[in-house]
Amino acid sequence: AAVFGDRLYIELQRHGLSTEAAVEEGLIDLSYAKGLPLVATNDAHFGPADMYEAHDALFCIADGTYIGV
């Protein structure tokens, strides 16, 4: 905090991982204890429009679901 001043934040992301859940409470406590801003973020990925079908298929594979026909 001394090095970064008001440019240091505690970041939280939720992807359903057990490691994230295990450290979240500690990160929140650290944020309050040190007076550091707490921010919630998430990954955002946007491919070209012509990749929609392939991207949709990959999500279905990851989720174990099917593309509606």
Side-chain angles (χ1 to χ4, degrees):
V3 173
F4 293 103
D6 64 353
R7 297 170 300 162
L8 181 63
Y9 299 83
I10 301 291
E11 177 185 28
L12 299 178
Q13 290 191 358
R14 290 183 178 165
H15 299 101
L17 303 174
S18 60
T19 52
E20 290 170 334
V23 300
E24 184 173 299
E25 186 177 342
L27 289 172
I28 293 169
D29 291 344
L30 178 64
S31 170
Y32 284 112
K34 300 293 182 180
L36 298 171
L38 185 62
V39 295
T41 66
N42 208 343
D43 299 330
H45 303 279
F46 300 97
D50 64 339
M51 294 299 292
Y52 170 78
E53 289 183 18
H55 191 254
D56 191 34
L58 287 174
F59 269 118
C60 288
I61 292 167
D63 289 341
T65 58
Y66 297 93
I67 296 174
V69 180

Coordinates of all heavy atoms in Angstrom, one line a residue:
A1 N 0.8 -1.2 0.0 CA 0.0 0.0 0.0 C 0.9 1.3 0.0 O 0.5 2.2 -0.6 CB -0.9 0.0 1.2
A2 N 2.0 1.2 0.7 CA 2.9 2.3 0.7 C 3.5 2.6 -0.7 O 3.7 3.8 -1.0 CB 4.0 2.1 1.7
V3 N 3.7 1.6 -1.5 CA 4.3 1.8 -2.8 C 3.2 2.3 -3.8 O 3.4 3.2 -4.6 CB 4.9 0.5 -3.3 CG1 5.3 0.6 -4.7 CG2 6.1 0.1 -2.4
F4 N 2.0 1.7 -3.7 CA 1.0 2.0 -4.7 C 0.0 3.1 -4.3 O -0.8 3.5 -5.2 CB 0.2 0.7 -5.1 CG 1.1 -0.3 -5.8 CD1 1.6 -1.4 -5.1 CD2 1.4 -0.1 -7.1 CE1 2.3 -2.3 -5.8 CE2 2.2 -1.1 -7.8 CZ 2.7 -2.2 -7.1
G5 N 0.0 3.4 -3.1 CA -0.9 4.5 -2.6 C -2.4 4.2 -2.9 O -2.8 3.1 -2.6
D6 N -3.1 5.1 -3.5 CA -4.5 4.9 -3.7 C -4.8 4.1 -5.0 O -5.9 4.1 -5.5 CB -5.3 6.2 -3.8 CG -4.8 7.1 -4.9 OD1 -3.9 6.8 -5.6 OD2 -5.5 8.2 -5.1
R7 N -3.8 3.4 -5.6 CA -4.0 2.6 -6.8 C -3.9 1.1 -6.4 O -3.8 0.3 -7.3 CB -2.9 3.0 -7.8 CG -3.0 4.4 -8.3 CD -1.8 4.8 -9.1 NE -0.6 4.6 -8.2 CZ 0.6 4.6 -8.6 NH1 0.9 4.6 -9.9 NH2 1.6 4.4 -7.8
L8 N -4.0 0.8 -5.2 CA -4.0 -0.6 -4.8 C -5.4 -1.1 -4.4 O -6.1 -0.4 -3.6 CB -3.1 -0.9 -3.6 CG -2.9 -2.3 -3.1 CD1 -2.4 -3.2 -4.2 CD2 -2.1 -2.3 -1.9
Y9 N -5.9 -2.2 -4.9 CA -7.2 -2.7 -4.7 C -7.2 -4.2 -4.3 O -6.2 -4.9 -4.7 CB -8.1 -2.6 -5.9 CG -8.3 -1.1 -6.4 CD1 -7.4 -0.5 -7.2 CD2 -9.5 -0.4 -6.0 CE1 -7.6 0.8 -7.6 CE2 -9.7 0.9 -6.4 CZ -8.7 1.5 -7.2 OH -8.9 2.8 -7.6
I10 N -8.2 -4.7 -3.6 CA -8.3 -6.1 -3.4 C -9.4 -6.5 -4.4 O -10.5 -6.0 -4.4 CB -8.8 -6.4 -2.0 CG1 -7.8 -5.9 -0.9 CG2 -9.1 -7.9 -1.8 CD1 -6.5 -6.6 -0.9
E11 N -9.1 -7.5 -5.2 CA -9.9 -8.0 -6.3 C -10.5 -9.3 -5.9 O -9.8 -10.2 -5.5 CB -9.2 -8.1 -7.6 CG -10.0 -8.6 -8.7 CD -9.2 -8.8 -10.0 OE1 -8.0 -9.1 -9.9 OE2 -9.7 -8.8 -11.1
L12 N -11.8 -9.5 -6.2 CA -12.5 -10.7 -6.0 C -13.1 -11.2 -7.3 O -13.7 -10.3 -8.1 CB -13.7 -10.6 -5.0 CG -13.3 -10.2 -3.6 CD1 -14.6 -10.1 -2.8 CD2 -12.4 -11.2 -3.0
Q13 N -13.0 -12.5 -7.6 CA -13.7 -13.0 -8.8 C -14.3 -14.3 -8.3 O -13.8 -15.0 -7.5 CB -12.7 -13.3 -9.9 CG -12.1 -12.1 -10.6 CD -11.3 -12.5 -11.8 OE1 -11.2 -13.6 -12.2 NE2 -10.8 -11.5 -12.5
R14 N -15.5 -14.6 -8.9 CA -16.2 -15.9 -8.6 C -16.4 -16.7 -9.9 O -17.2 -16.3 -10.7 CB -17.5 -15.6 -8.0 CG -17.4 -15.0 -6.6 CD -18.8 -14.8 -6.0 NE -18.6 -14.3 -4.6 CZ -19.6 -13.7 -3.9 NH1 -20.8 -13.7 -4.5 NH2 -19.4 -13.3 -2.7
H15 N -15.6 -17.8 -9.9 CA -15.8 -18.7 -11.0 C -16.3 -20.1 -10.6 O -16.2 -21.1 -11.3 CB -14.4 -18.9 -11.8 CG -13.9 -17.6 -12.4 ND1 -13.0 -16.9 -11.8 CD2 -14.3 -17.0 -13.5 CE1 -12.7 -15.8 -12.5 NE2 -13.5 -15.8 -13.5
G16 N -16.6 -20.2 -9.3 CA -17.1 -21.4 -8.7 C -16.0 -22.4 -8.3 O -16.2 -23.6 -8.1
L17 N -14.8 -21.8 -8.1 CA -13.6 -22.6 -7.7 C -13.5 -22.7 -6.2 O -13.8 -21.7 -5.5 CB -12.3 -22.0 -8.3 CG -12.3 -21.9 -9.8 CD1 -11.0 -21.2 -10.2 CD2 -12.3 -23.3 -10.5
S18 N -13.2 -23.8 -5.7 CA -13.1 -24.0 -4.2 C -12.0 -23.1 -3.7 O -12.1 -22.6 -2.5 CB -12.8 -25.4 -3.9 OG -11.6 -25.9 -4.4
T19 N -10.9 -22.8 -4.4 CA -9.8 -22.0 -3.9 C -10.3 -20.5 -3.8 O -9.9 -19.8 -2.9 CB -8.6 -22.0 -4.9 OG1 -9.0 -21.8 -6.2 CG2 -7.9 -23.4 -4.8
E20 N -11.1 -20.1 -4.7 CA -11.7 -18.7 -4.6 C -12.5 -18.6 -3.3 O -12.4 -17.6 -2.6 CB -12.5 -18.3 -5.8 CG -11.7 -18.2 -7.1 CD -12.5 -18.1 -8.3 OE1 -13.7 -18.6 -8.3 OE2 -12.1 -17.4 -9.3
A21 N -13.4 -19.6 -3.1 CA -14.3 -19.5 -2.0 C -13.5 -19.6 -0.7 O -13.8 -18.9 0.3 CB -15.3 -20.7 -2.0
A22 N -12.4 -20.3 -0.7 CA -11.6 -20.5 0.5 C -10.9 -19.2 1.0 O -10.6 -19.0 2.1 CB -10.5 -21.6 0.3
V23 N -10.5 -18.3 0.0 CA -9.8 -17.1 0.4 C -10.6 -15.9 0.4 O -10.2 -14.8 0.8 CB -8.6 -16.9 -0.6 CG1 -7.6 -18.1 -0.5 CG2 -9.0 -16.6 -2.0
E24 N -11.9 -15.9 -0.1 CA -12.7 -14.7 -0.2 C -12.9 -14.0 1.1 O -12.7 -12.8 1.2 CB -14.1 -15.1 -0.9 CG -14.9 -13.8 -1.1 CD -16.2 -14.1 -1.9 OE1 -16.1 -14.6 -3.0 OE2 -17.2 -13.9 -1.3
E25 N -13.3 -14.7 2.1 CA -13.5 -14.1 3.4 C -12.3 -13.4 3.9 O -12.3 -12.2 4.4 CB -14.0 -15.1 4.4 CG -14.4 -14.4 5.8 CD -15.0 -15.4 6.7 OE1 -15.4 -16.5 6.4 OE2 -15.0 -15.0 7.9
G26 N -11.1 -14.0 3.8 CA -9.8 -13.4 4.2 C -9.5 -12.2 3.4 O -9.0 -11.2 4.0
L27 N -9.8 -12.2 2.1 CA -9.5 -11.0 1.3 C -10.4 -9.8 1.7 O -10.0 -8.7 1.7 CB -9.7 -11.3 -0.2 CG -8.6 -12.2 -0.8 CD1 -9.0 -12.6 -2.2 CD2 -7.3 -11.5 -0.8
I28 N -11.7 -10.1 2.0 CA -12.6 -9.1 2.4 C -12.1 -8.5 3.8 O -12.1 -7.3 3.9 CB -14.0 -9.7 2.5 CG1 -14.6 -10.0 1.1 CG2 -15.0 -8.7 3.2 CD1 -15.9 -10.8 1.1
D29 N -11.8 -9.4 4.7 CA -11.2 -8.9 6.0 C -10.0 -8.1 5.8 O -9.9 -7.0 6.4 CB -10.9 -10.1 6.9 CG -12.1 -10.9 7.4 OD1 -13.3 -10.3 7.2 OD2 -12.0 -12.0 7.8
L30 N -9.1 -8.5 4.9 CA -7.9 -7.7 4.6 C -8.2 -6.3 4.1 O -7.6 -5.3 4.5 CB -7.0 -8.5 3.7 CG -5.7 -7.8 3.2 CD1 -4.8 -7.6 4.4 CD2 -5.0 -8.6 2.1
S31 N -9.2 -6.3 3.2 CA -9.6 -5.0 2.6 C -10.1 -4.1 3.7 O -9.6 -2.9 3.7 CB -10.7 -5.3 1.6 OG -11.3 -4.1 1.2
Y32 N -10.9 -4.5 4.6 CA -11.4 -3.7 5.6 C -10.3 -3.3 6.6 O -10.2 -2.1 7.1 CB -12.6 -4.3 6.3 CG -13.9 -4.2 5.5 CD1 -14.5 -5.4 5.0 CD2 -14.5 -3.0 5.3 CE1 -15.6 -5.3 4.2 CE2 -15.7 -2.9 4.5 CZ -16.2 -4.1 4.0 OH -17.4 -4.0 3.3
A33 N -9.5 -4.2 7.0 CA -8.5 -4.0 8.0 C -7.4 -3.0 7.5 O -6.9 -2.2 8.3 CB -7.8 -5.3 8.3
K34 N -7.1 -3.0 6.2 CA -6.1 -2.1 5.7 C -6.7 -0.9 5.0 O -6.0 0.0 4.5 CB -5.2 -2.9 4.7 CG -4.5 -4.1 5.3 CD -3.4 -3.6 6.3 CE -2.6 -4.7 6.8 NZ -1.6 -4.3 7.8
G35 N -8.0 -0.8 4.9 CA -8.7 0.3 4.3 C -8.4 0.4 2.8 O -8.4 1.4 2.2
L36 N -8.4 -0.8 2.2 CA -8.1 -0.9 0.7 C -9.5 -1.1 0.0 O -10.3 -1.9 0.5 CB -7.2 -2.1 0.4 CG -5.8 -2.0 1.0 CD1 -5.0 -3.3 0.8 CD2 -5.1 -0.8 0.4
P37 N -9.7 -0.5 -1.1 CA -10.9 -0.6 -1.8 C -11.1 -2.1 -2.3 O -10.1 -2.7 -2.7 CB -10.8 0.3 -3.0 CG -9.7 1.2 -2.7 CD -8.8 0.5 -1.7
L38 N -12.3 -2.6 -2.2 CA -12.6 -3.9 -2.6 C -13.4 -3.9 -4.0 O -14.4 -3.1 -4.1 CB -13.5 -4.6 -1.6 CG -13.9 -6.0 -1.7 CD1 -12.7 -6.9 -1.7 CD2 -14.9 -6.4 -0.6
V39 N -12.9 -4.6 -5.0 CA -13.6 -4.6 -6.3 C -13.9 -6.0 -6.7 O -13.1 -6.9 -6.4 CB -12.7 -3.9 -7.4 CG1 -12.5 -2.4 -7.1 CG2 -11.4 -4.6 -7.5
A40 N -15.1 -6.2 -7.3 CA -15.5 -7.5 -7.8 C -15.4 -7.4 -9.4 O -15.9 -6.5 -10.0 CB -16.9 -7.8 -7.4
T41 N -14.6 -8.3 -10.0 CA -14.4 -8.3 -11.4 C -14.7 -9.6 -12.0 O -14.9 -10.6 -11.2 CB -13.0 -7.8 -11.8 OG1 -12.1 -8.8 -11.3 CG2 -12.6 -6.5 -11.2
N42 N -14.7 -9.7 -13.3 CA -14.8 -11.0 -13.9 C -14.2 -10.9 -15.3 O -14.1 -9.9 -15.9 CB -16.3 -11.5 -14.0 CG -16.4 -13.0 -14.0 OD1 -15.5 -13.7 -14.3 ND2 -17.6 -13.4 -13.8
D43 N -13.7 -12.1 -15.8 CA -13.2 -12.1 -17.1 C -14.2 -11.8 -18.2 O -15.4 -12.3 -18.0 CB -12.5 -13.5 -17.4 CG -11.4 -13.8 -16.4 OD1 -10.8 -12.9 -16.0 OD2 -11.2 -15.0 -16.2
A44 N -13.9 -11.1 -19.2 CA -14.8 -10.9 -20.3 C -14.1 -11.2 -21.6 O -13.0 -10.7 -21.8 CB -15.3 -9.4 -20.3
H45 N -14.7 -12.1 -22.3 CA -14.1 -12.5 -23.6 C -15.1 -12.3 -24.7 O -16.2 -12.9 -24.7 CB -13.6 -13.9 -23.6 CG -12.7 -14.2 -22.4 ND1 -11.3 -13.9 -22.5 CD2 -12.9 -14.7 -21.2 CE1 -10.8 -14.3 -21.4 NE2 -11.7 -14.7 -20.5
F46 N -14.8 -11.5 -25.7 CA -15.6 -11.3 -26.8 C -14.9 -11.5 -28.1 O -13.9 -10.8 -28.4 CB -16.2 -9.8 -26.8 CG -17.0 -9.5 -25.6 CD1 -16.4 -8.8 -24.5 CD2 -18.3 -9.9 -25.5 CE1 -17.1 -8.6 -23.4 CE2 -19.0 -9.6 -24.3 CZ -18.4 -8.9 -23.3
G47 N -15.2 -12.5 -28.8 CA -14.6 -12.8 -30.1 C -15.3 -12.2 -31.2 O -16.3 -11.5 -31.0
P48 N -14.8 -12.3 -32.4 CA -15.5 -11.8 -33.6 C -16.8 -12.4 -33.8 O -17.1 -13.6 -33.4 CB -14.5 -12.1 -34.8 CG -13.4 -12.8 -34.2 CD -13.6 -13.0 -32.8
A49 N -17.8 -11.7 -34.4 CA -19.1 -12.2 -34.5 C -19.2 -13.5 -35.3 O -20.1 -14.3 -35.0 CB -20.0 -11.1 -35.3
D50 N -18.3 -13.7 -36.2 CA -18.4 -15.0 -37.0 C -17.9 -16.2 -36.2 O -18.0 -17.3 -36.7 CB -17.6 -14.8 -38.3 CG -16.1 -14.6 -38.1 OD1 -15.7 -14.2 -37.0 OD2 -15.3 -14.9 -39.1
M51 N -17.4 -16.0 -35.0 CA -17.0 -17.1 -34.2 C -18.1 -17.5 -33.1 O -17.9 -18.3 -32.3 CB -15.7 -16.7 -33.4 CG -14.5 -16.6 -34.3 SD -14.1 -18.1 -35.2 CE -13.6 -19.1 -33.9
Y52 N -19.3 -16.9 -33.3 CA -20.4 -17.1 -32.3 C -20.7 -18.6 -32.2 O -20.8 -19.1 -31.1 CB -21.6 -16.4 -32.7 CG -22.8 -16.8 -31.8 CD1 -22.9 -16.3 -30.5 CD2 -23.7 -17.7 -32.3 CE1 -24.0 -16.7 -29.7 CE2 -24.8 -18.1 -31.5 CZ -24.9 -17.6 -30.2 OH -25.9 -18.0 -29.4
E53 N -20.9 -19.3 -33.3 CA -21.3 -20.7 -33.2 C -20.2 -21.6 -32.5 O -20.5 -22.4 -31.7 CB -21.6 -21.3 -34.6 CG -22.9 -20.7 -35.1 CD -23.3 -21.3 -36.5 OE1 -22.8 -22.3 -36.9 OE2 -24.1 -20.6 -37.2
A54 N -19.0 -21.3 -32.9 CA -17.9 -22.1 -32.2 C -17.8 -21.8 -30.7 O -17.6 -22.7 -29.9 CB -16.5 -21.8 -32.9
H55 N -18.0 -20.5 -30.4 CA -17.9 -20.1 -29.0 C -19.1 -20.7 -28.2 O -18.9 -21.2 -27.1 CB -18.0 -18.6 -28.9 CG -17.7 -18.0 -27.6 ND1 -18.6 -17.5 -26.8 CD2 -16.5 -17.9 -26.9 CE1 -18.1 -17.1 -25.6 NE2 -16.8 -17.3 -25.7
D56 N -20.3 -20.7 -28.8 CA -21.4 -21.3 -28.2 C -21.2 -22.8 -28.0 O -21.5 -23.4 -26.9 CB -22.7 -21.1 -29.1 CG -24.0 -21.5 -28.4 OD1 -24.1 -21.3 -27.2 OD2 -24.9 -21.9 -29.1
A57 N -20.6 -23.5 -28.9 CA -20.3 -24.9 -28.8 C -19.3 -25.2 -27.7 O -19.5 -26.1 -26.9 CB -19.7 -25.5 -30.1
L58 N -18.3 -24.3 -27.5 CA -17.4 -24.5 -26.4 C -18.0 -24.3 -25.1 O -17.7 -25.1 -24.1 CB -16.2 -23.5 -26.6 CG -15.2 -23.8 -27.7 CD1 -14.2 -22.7 -27.8 CD2 -14.5 -25.1 -27.4
F59 N -18.9 -23.4 -25.0 CA -19.7 -23.2 -23.7 C -20.5 -24.4 -23.4 O -20.6 -24.9 -22.3 CB -20.6 -22.0 -23.8 CG -19.9 -20.7 -23.3 CD1 -19.7 -19.6 -24.1 CD2 -19.4 -20.6 -21.9 CE1 -19.0 -18.5 -23.6 CE2 -18.8 -19.5 -21.5 CZ -18.6 -18.4 -22.3
C60 N -21.1 -25.0 -24.4 CA -21.9 -26.2 -24.2 C -21.1 -27.4 -23.8 O -21.5 -28.1 -22.9 CB -22.7 -26.6 -25.5 SG -24.0 -25.4 -25.9
I61 N -19.9 -27.5 -24.3 CA -19.0 -28.6 -23.9 C -18.6 -28.4 -22.5 O -18.6 -29.3 -21.7 CB -17.7 -28.6 -24.8 CG1 -18.1 -29.1 -26.2 CG2 -16.6 -29.5 -24.2 CD1 -17.1 -28.9 -27.3
A62 N -18.2 -27.1 -22.1 CA -17.8 -26.8 -20.7 C -18.9 -27.0 -19.7 O -18.7 -27.5 -18.6 CB -17.3 -25.4 -20.6
D63 N -20.2 -26.7 -20.1 CA -21.3 -26.9 -19.2 C -22.0 -28.2 -19.3 O -22.9 -28.5 -18.5 CB -22.4 -25.8 -19.5 CG -21.9 -24.4 -19.1 OD1 -21.0 -24.3 -18.3 OD2 -22.5 -23.4 -19.7
G64 N -21.6 -29.1 -20.2 CA -22.2 -30.4 -20.4 C -23.6 -30.3 -20.9 O -24.5 -31.1 -20.6
T65 N -23.9 -29.3 -21.8 CA -25.2 -29.1 -22.3 C -25.1 -29.2 -23.8 O -24.1 -29.5 -24.4 CB -25.7 -27.7 -21.9 OG1 -24.8 -26.7 -22.4 CG2 -25.9 -27.5 -20.5
Y66 N -26.3 -29.0 -24.5 CA -26.4 -29.1 -25.9 C -26.9 -27.8 -26.6 O -27.6 -27.1 -25.9 CB -27.4 -30.2 -26.3 CG -27.0 -31.6 -25.8 CD1 -27.4 -32.1 -24.6 CD2 -26.1 -32.4 -26.6 CE1 -27.0 -33.3 -24.1 CE2 -25.7 -33.6 -26.1 CZ -26.1 -34.1 -24.9 OH -25.7 -35.3 -24.4
I67 N -26.4 -27.7 -27.8 CA -26.9 -26.5 -28.6 C -28.3 -26.8 -29.0 O -28.6 -27.9 -29.5 CB -26.0 -26.3 -29.8 CG1 -24.6 -25.9 -29.4 CG2 -26.7 -25.2 -30.7 CD1 -23.6 -25.7 -30.5
G68 N -29.3 -25.9 -28.8 CA -30.7 -26.1 -29.2 C -30.8 -26.2 -30.7 O -30.2 -25.5 -31.4
V69 N -31.6 -27.2 -31.1 CA -31.8 -27.4 -32.6 C -33.1 -27.0 -33.0 O -34.1 -27.1 -32.3 CB -31.5 -28.9 -32.9 CG1 -31.7 -29.1 -34.4 CG2 -30.2 -29.3 -32.5

